[in-house]
Amino acid sequence: MLEPLDPEVLHVSSDNGTYALDREDGEELWTTDAFVRWGSSVLTDEYLYALDGSVVALEPDTGATAWEADPPHPRALAIADGTVYTTSTSDDGGAAAVVDGEVVWTREDVTDCFEPPVVTDDLVLASSKEGRLAALDREDGTTVWSHDRETTGTTQPTVAHGQVYLPRDTRSRTVCLDLESGEPLWTLETDFYSDQPVAVADGVYRRSRPSASGLDPEGVHAVAFGGPFGSGDLHALSSADGSD
């Protein structure tokens, strides 16, 4: 579900399509077959971006298609500065960048990505189910660095303070990487496993399954971890070295 730029309209995407609903009474204003299976559609002040086997830019008011583009098997997307970055769950797909309906680069070797890419000022981060995190140059898609997560499964990194926080899925540890170089800075071992961190303001908040919480004292960079299985435990850690 998407928070609307138009306060009177709610845009909702699912495997069944994309819908515009009246926020007051839920009346369907328009619908289209375009969907997003992994992640969400993305609403900007210009278009609503979704997928239907291709990348589709929709007019938010009407659902009409403004343009389409055909990167390889897109399954998830992210938008930055008017550029659409896609990843694919298919071995026949890849990562790609699309501008105004034109595919400007593709990486057919960056496959098996079940989470939307994470876009920074210079990089596109794509994490594969096979355990590779690829940092691609936003301009041309070349590999700037890559990191072996040493585990399989889907995950999405979080970027904050010039660092990448990368959970290890079913393994009870998290690694912190330097955003510019991909160099590992620290690894945290915990007694629980958790999903991706969430960056908020000046701190990084880490949630555990099935609940999450975190506090950032007075703007100090901290990584906060919720305890195992809703225990309510909270661990506040330095983002510099992972220390308690």
Side-chain angles (χ1 to χ4, degrees):
M1 186 172 65
L2 301 171
E3 282 298 319
L5 296 179
D6 183 341
E8 297 181 356
V9 179
L10 182 68
H11 297 90
V12 180
S13 292
S14 72
D15 280 359
N16 298 319
T18 295
Y19 305 82
L21 308 176
D22 186 282
R23 198 170 189 183
E24 292 296 324
D25 58 15
E27 178 188 358
E28 183 179 298
L29 304 177
W30 57 259
T31 184
T32 176
D33 291 337
F35 68 97
V36 171
R37 180 159 295 163
W38 306 101
S40 174
S41 301
V42 178
L43 180 64
T44 70
D45 57 2
E46 186 174 16
Y47 297 122
L48 173 65
Y49 296 92
L51 304 169
D52 66 355
S54 59
V55 174
V56 183
L58 304 172
E59 300 287 352
D61 292 339
T62 65
T65 299
W67 55 257
E68 288 189 59
D70 293 305
H73 300 280
R75 288 295 180 270
L77 54 80
I79 315 296
D81 302 322
T83 300
V84 183
Y85 299 94
T86 66
T87 52
S88 176
T89 60
S90 171
D91 289 338
D92 297 325
V98 178
V99 178
D100 293 331
E102 299 293 330
V103 178
V104 295
W105 58 257
T106 61
R107 283 292 303 272
E108 295 182 358
D109 58 325
V110 181
T111 61
D112 208 25
C113 297
F114 285 76
E115 298 284 351
V118 174
V119 184
T120 73
D121 289 342
D122 301 309
L123 300 175
V124 179
L125 303 178
S127 181
S128 77
K129 191 175 181 180
E130 297 304 311
R132 178 191 178 203
L133 176 64
L136 310 179
D137 186 284
R138 279 182 57 177
E139 295 298 321
D140 58 16
T142 56
T143 299
V144 177
W145 53 263
S146 64
H147 173 76
D148 182 0
R149 295 191 289 115
E150 301 178 3
T151 185
T152 59
T154 62
T155 192
Q156 187 179 38
T158 288
V159 176
H161 325 310
Q163 297 172 343
V164 181
Y165 299 93
L166 188 66
R168 297 291 183 95
D169 302 300
T170 56
R171 299 179 65 176
S172 57
R173 60 177 175 171
T174 291
V175 64
C176 176
L177 309 176
D178 180 79
L179 175 61
E180 185 176 346
S181 67
E183 176 186 357
L185 301 177
W186 51 262
T187 299
L188 174 70
E189 297 284 349
T190 66
D191 58 357
F192 60 91
Y193 79 94
S194 56
D195 57 12
Q196 68 258 30
V198 179
V200 180
D202 290 330
V204 176
Y205 296 70
R206 171 73 179 252
R207 62 191 180 202
S208 66
R209 297 186 177 122
S211 68
S213 60
L215 297 174
D216 180 29
E218 298 180 358
V220 176
H221 290 177
V223 184
F225 294 84
F229 301 103
S231 67
D233 295 338
L234 182 67
H235 307 265
L237 306 166
S238 167
S239 60
D241 57 11
S243 60
D244 208 328

